[in-house]
Amino acid sequence: MKVQIEDKEFTCFLEYEQIKKRTRLLGIQLNVDYENKVPVFIGVLTGSFLFMADLMKEVHVPAEMSFIKVSSYMGQDTSSGVVKSIIGLDIDLKGRDVVIVEDIVDTGLTLGFLLDVLRKHEPASVAICTLLLKPLALQREIEEISYVGFEIPNEFVVGYGLDYKGLGRNLRDIYRFIPAPSET
Ligand code: 5GP
């Protein structure tokens, strides 16, 4: 199946049934690894909202949940010119077992920033659970990535929380961009 979003056409890549099955397995893994613990799951908005909701239904250990947003704005005091900050961290993480829930890890730069900030809160442990990982795009190894739904090629994807120009987050399945012959 294909969908058109604004100027781009996308083709179906991962169906919701596959996502659900994989999410169930991730839940089983988390239930084993966090047995007798009370982890804090932190969803990174906006993209993770559907994955977080489905994943949490598969997690049966007692757990706290929260969402944060990583905001970027242009500044003049960093080499890249982009300054990031975290909005919405409302749980004391000191001594806690933290699981960051991401929709997708691409270059890993956002996650690297997030980990640096979270470590300052002195959690007992930090693990990352991401639905999608683009191994070929990763710019540095992140050993905290312990739970991965699907490793995918270095292609742009939308749906199931992920957007293109703000649209497509409410698609049930995940779609990948089909470049026009002139764009390849
Ligand atoms: P990173 O810092 O790992 O390069 O990028 C992380 C963010 O970039 C993700 O949280 C997501 O918002 C966005 N991103 C990276 N790859 C994709 C993609 O294929 N599709 C969409 N919709 N967003 C992406």
Side-chain angles (χ1 to χ4, degrees):
M1 215 183 82
K2 289 181 181 171
V3 293
Q4 179 81 28
I5 304 176
E6 298 270 303
D7 55 327
K8 295 209 187 308
E9 191 173 43
F10 297 84
T11 187
C12 193
F13 177 54
L14 287 170
E15 287 185 7
Y16 182 55
E17 289 312 313
Q18 279 174 275
I19 298 170
K20 245 181 21 191
K21 265 192 207 148
R22 188 71 191 104
T23 303
R24 206 168 296 142
L25 294 176
L26 290 173
I28 290 169
Q29 234 182 311
L30 286 160
N31 290 327
V32 171
D33 294 351
Y34 289 88
E35 196 184 2
N36 301 321
K37 294 182 177 166
V38 184
V40 181
F41 286 86
I42 300 180
V44 184
L45 290 172
T46 303
S48 75
F49 78 107
L50 289 179
F51 177 48
M52 177 86 166
D54 283 341
L55 183 68
M56 289 304 102
K57 288 176 222 163
E58 305 296 340
V59 168
H60 307 306
V61 296
E64 283 185 69
M65 282 147 233
S66 188
F67 284 96
I68 57 170
K69 195 156 184 146
V70 179
S71 73
S72 307
Y73 60 94
M74 299 309 285
Q76 278 140 29
D77 56 348
T78 67
S79 52
S80 68
V82 178
V83 182
K84 288 189 166 163
S85 67
I86 292 181
I87 303 167
L89 192 56
D90 57 359
I91 296 179
D92 182 6
L93 301 180
K94 195 173 162 70
R96 303 296 305 271
D97 294 298
V98 175
V99 183
I100 301 173
V101 179
E102 274 276 17
D103 50 350
I104 189 163
V105 177
D106 187 50
T107 62
L109 295 177
T110 308
L111 205 49
F113 161 77
L114 201 55
L115 284 168
D116 289 345
V117 174
L118 292 185
R119 280 195 204 105
K120 292 189 185 131
H121 292 257
E122 300 176 39
S125 69
V126 182
I128 291 142
C129 177
T130 184
L131 176 64
L132 305 174
L133 173 71
K134 293 182 186 170
L136 294 177
L138 255 190
Q139 288 189 6
R140 65 173 212 202
E141 200 182 322
I142 302 179
E143 61 184 29
E144 287 87 351
I145 304 179
S146 313
Y147 308 93
V148 176
F150 301 92
E151 291 195 352
I152 65 167
N154 208 354
E155 293 175 329
F156 188 80
V157 290
V158 293
Y160 194 66
L162 291 146
D163 76 306
Y164 172 58
K165 293 189 175 177
L167 301 172
R169 293 193 195 276
N170 52 330
L171 292 166
R172 236 175 112 77
D173 307 314
I174 293 177
Y175 294 76
R176 66 183 180 85
F177 172 54
I178 317 167
S182 58
E183 293 176 89
T184 53

